Amino acid sequence: MAGGGAPVRIGILGAARIAPTALIKPARKNAEVVVAAVAARDVSRAQAFAAKHRIARVHDSYEALIADPDLDAVYNPLPIALHGRWTRAALDAGKHVLCEKPFTANAAEAREVAELAAKSGRVVTEAFHYRYHPCALRVDEIIASGELGKLKRVEGHWCFWMPKSSHNRYNYALGGGALMDLGCYAVDMVRRFGGSTPEVVAAQAKLRGPEVDRVMTAELRFAGGHTGRIHCSMWSTDLPRLTVRVVGDRGELRLHPLVPFQRFSVRTSTGKRVENFPAQPTTYACQLDAFAAAVLHGEPVKTTPQEAIENMTVIDAMYRAAGLAIRMPA
């Protein structure tokens, strides 16, 4: 295992398109991380991926990668319904895990993984990368400072056009749906900035196929009395929009993730201001720094399995309130 000045050696499960942005490129600027191996169901695809991104080793199965004694950690960007299965397998093999969002197919599976993670003593992080960036930390500071006053409402709108119906995003068996793919960001942000896990009061969905939401909207209520709303879509008349709005009785904050995650505005009785953050480091770089620091130095992470349970609890409740089945592990 990594230690004594050695870097964290990470293997990638699957030749996923998100991996270069989320892991490979940030790792090149982090002396404490080495992307050492990749595996894919199609070994030729893994070989091409490894050659393109200068990854030293290729495994012909996920099992072989997880069993590799020269790896310390696993990055899991597989389809959502496979997250829990392969995170558990990695933990059983003594590996740390950086798992893409959402953490698992549902809240019950998140609890299973959280229990295993606690027993293993390994670092397990859900990849809500924005949480590690100075922009999000600054939003936390402003809300905690009382500048906005008593919270009244928190809203998250995550809308984008993803028209390809054959994509995994629209496959129920693989954990598809607008809420799982895009809306999980809104759930995490609204829950985070709202200060607690809200109750789902009502939800409505528009479908792309059986049980698969292309649009999901929900009204929420927090224990503190303030309300919330989550709206997400992958195919609708909604224009692309990724925003979060936090409203208090003395002011309002709007976060603009489309920038991405580097700008927000605050409006109060004293006026309006915009706070901007540099393009570097990226949110993904900040996340990888935190993951490596947790593995090597015992530093805490923000997006823990316990946090994931709370997110998945809200997601499950939204599906049920909309009359749809929750997602299930593959």
Side-chain angles (χ1 to χ4, degrees), residues 1-9 32 71-73 96 292 295-297:
M1 285 296 156
V8 181
R9 301 162 297 178
E32 293 191 320
L71 295 178
D72 307 300
H96 305 279
V295 172
L296 295 174
H297 312 299

Side-chain angles (χ1 to χ4, degrees), residues 2 21 131 214 281 310-311:
T21 300
R131 290 275 294 270
R214 60 180 176 86
E310 299 300 315
N311 284 333

